[in-house]
Amino acid sequence: MKDNKIDLGLPGAHWENRVVVAMSGGVDSSVTAALVAEAGYDVVGITLQLYDYGSAIQRKGACCAGADIHDARLVAEKIGIPHYVLDYESKFRDSVMEEFADSYTRGETPIPCIRCNQTVKFRDLLQTAKQLGAKALCTGHYVRRVIGKCSVELHKGVDPKKDQSYFLFATTPDQLEYLRFPLGGLTKEETRRHADRIGLDVADKPDSQDICFVPDGKYADVVRRLRPNAVDPGEIVDMSGSVLGKHDGIVNFTVGQRKGLGIGGRSRSENPGATDPMYVVSVDPIEKKVVVGPRSALGRNLLKVSEINWLGDNPISKKGEQLLIKLRSTQEPISGTLFSDEGDNGRIVLDKMEYGVSVGQAAVFYSQNDNARVIGGGWMTETSLC
């Protein structure tokens, strides 16, 4: 970007290229739309109605709350672009909410924001943008699209505090050809300065904190409505099967959890009266049991992954691909080796033990030669020791 003018790398004059911008009503997507319009592109803003907004209109700190549609419309009017609201409720429910609930009933810990990017936004909305004659779909994500020697590459955003590459690992090469991320080279502070410069009312709007369809972060309430059996009561047991307590639904527990168990710690034989903290080691959805144990029982270094999306220049080496692997969005990547199995499945052998890894989470791969480059990722289906 130079002098606030961005270049999306599309052929011909800017004004000849129609571009769709996904507008959530927040400052990031609003500035994205404004900067693309300033550069002279033919911009169309689209806001997705993803769920029943009635209960979320007044909720602060939530993505896609009802008031956000109004905010997006005001921004579009301010910068002089057409704006449309599309009803994607059924698509969102089928692709994201139902999968979210099913994942919890399987004793997993889902990440619905990745599924939303993977399906509703970068599959369904992208197709809609093409139907509108757009040459590109722009979003306000803090990632970078880089033209590499062999293909278009996905890289971390320059702002380490806002980088969203973990949540976009499932973006396919074909989608990367069409997508653009104008904020990837900016910090959040720079984005807000642009909002002030342009005079957008959302300049000081806080970032979203919650999953959009989970009021006040209460996952159990959503799952209870969609899958009542997931909140059936059950037992909390230790690793030998002894009952330590009761629980009111496996949806309330995730591997690695320490707080909220209501069972205290484990007595130390060498020091009577002292206790070690207990952690959730596994969740049994069939028996509706929550298994707890010491932190040492959480150690894992072998992970099975499915639905691998590979963004490397060459196929995964038969000898294994040495990678940097991020197992949580807030975690620094760790070293490991990816081995390809049949289809889009694989195994990851970590160089050191990792604690609290949960099935249903994502394992995102970064290049060892360039730790800013995302070269794929997959969903963890099994964890064990090797």
Side-chain angles (χ1 to χ4, degrees):
M1 184 185 302
K2 184 177 181 180
D3 298 328
N4 304 326
K5 301 298 184 182
I6 63 173
D7 186 350
L8 300 180
L10 299 173
H14 289 188
W15 60 268
E16 296 177 315
N17 290 292
R18 172 170 293 176
V19 175
V20 164
V21 177
M23 300 181 68
S24 69
V27 64
D28 296 330
S29 62
S30 297
V31 169
T32 297
L35 292 178
V36 175
E38 275 189 337
Y41 291 94
D42 175 16
V43 180
V44 176
I46 291 182
T47 300
L48 302 181
Q49 181 169 323
L50 299 179
Y51 63 102
D52 181 2
Y53 286 84
S55 62
I57 289 177
Q58 301 302 325
R59 182 156 54 92
K60 295 182 178 180
C63 169
C64 307
D68 292 340
I69 293 179
H70 178 67
D71 289 343
R73 183 176 292 115
L74 291 180
V75 168
E77 291 177 357
K78 171 73 176 180
I79 63 179
I81 65 170
H83 174 255
Y84 302 96
V85 179
L86 302 184
D87 183 355
Y88 271 32
E89 283 194 35
S90 62
K91 296 178 185 290
F92 185 72
R93 182 184 178 96
D94 292 344
S95 299
V96 181
M97 294 180 66
E98 297 288 348
E99 169 61 25
F100 173 83
D102 285 341
S103 185
Y104 265 119
T105 63
R106 295 191 296 264
E108 302 171 354
T109 306
I111 312 178
C113 295
I114 294 180
R115 286 295 187 192
C116 184
N117 290 326
Q118 183 180 18
T119 57
V120 174
K121 292 179 181 175
F122 291 172
R123 183 191 66 194
D124 299 329
L125 178 57
L126 189 147
Q127 185 60 37
T128 297
K130 289 183 176 180
Q131 292 170 352
L132 291 172
K135 300 294 181 60
L137 170 63
C138 294
T139 76
H141 289 102
Y142 286 87
V143 294
R144 289 178 294 141
R145 177 185 180 275
V146 176
I147 305 299
K149 294 181 180 179
C150 300
S151 62
V152 180
E153 300 172 358
L154 180 65
H155 287 237
K156 295 178 182 178
V158 298
D159 186 345
K161 295 180 293 184
K162 296 301 297 182
D163 168 53
Q164 293 172 296
S165 59
Y166 177 87
F167 297 98
L168 299 183
F169 82 84
T171 308
T172 67
D174 285 345
Q175 291 168 345
L176 278 175
E177 290 284 350
Y178 191 72
L179 289 163
R180 300 294 190 274
F181 309 105
L183 302 189
L186 301 180
T187 65
K188 184 70 178 196
E189 291 73 19
E190 289 172 325
T191 296
R192 291 198 183 278
R193 285 200 292 271
H194 276 298
D196 281 330
R197 174 182 63 80
I198 298 166
L200 302 181
D201 290 339
V202 296
D204 296 321
K205 189 172 182 177
D207 291 341
S208 60
Q209 302 294 328
D210 300 327
I211 297 173
C212 64
F213 61 92
V214 182
D216 303 316
K218 297 179 180 178
Y219 306 113
D221 290 348
V222 174
V223 179
R224 182 181 292 110
R225 186 174 72 250
L226 297 173
R227 300 290 186 275
N229 64 316
V231 289
D232 288 344
E235 297 175 338
I236 300 176
V237 302
D238 64 18
M239 298 182 67
S240 65
S242 298
V243 177
L244 303 179
K246 302 288 185 179
H247 68 76
D248 57 1
I250 61 172
V251 69
N252 297 297
F253 301 90
T254 185
V255 171
Q257 179 178 333
R258 175 182 172 185
K259 297 181 179 179
L261 303 183
I263 57 172
R266 182 184 64 171
S267 297
R268 299 179 187 171
S269 58
E270 73 280 6
N271 186 8
T275 59
D276 289 325
M278 302 288 276
Y279 298 81
V280 175
V281 175
S282 64
V283 177
D284 185 339
I286 305 300
E287 299 294 331
K288 301 188 185 302
K289 290 183 178 180
V290 175
V291 182
V292 300
R295 184 178 183 276
S296 59
L298 292 171
R300 300 289 188 272
N301 61 357
L302 176 61
L303 315 173
K304 290 188 177 182
V305 291
S306 67
E307 299 181 56
I308 292 176
N309 180 53
W310 184 247
L311 298 173
D313 295 331
N314 301 302
I316 301 171
S317 171
K318 293 181 179 179
K319 297 181 180 180
E321 198 81 30
Q322 292 186 322
L323 307 166
L324 295 173
I325 303 163
K326 182 176 272 196
L327 301 177
R328 302 177 187 84
S329 63
T330 56
Q331 176 200 49
E332 287 298 316
I334 57 178
S335 297
T337 305
L338 171 67
F339 297 90
S340 179
D341 291 336
E342 184 178 351
D344 58 0
N345 301 310
R347 292 163 290 124
I348 298 171
V349 178
L350 301 175
D351 289 354
K352 64 178 182 179
M353 205 71 70
E354 185 67 19
Y355 296 85
V357 180
S358 177
V359 170
Q361 296 278 288
V364 180
F365 315 142
Y366 297 82
S367 170
Q368 282 199 328
N369 297 324
D370 179 0
N371 63 13
R373 182 183 177 185
V374 181
I375 56 173
W379 296 95
M380 287 184 278
T381 58
E382 186 179 329
T383 67
S384 58
L385 298 171
C386 65

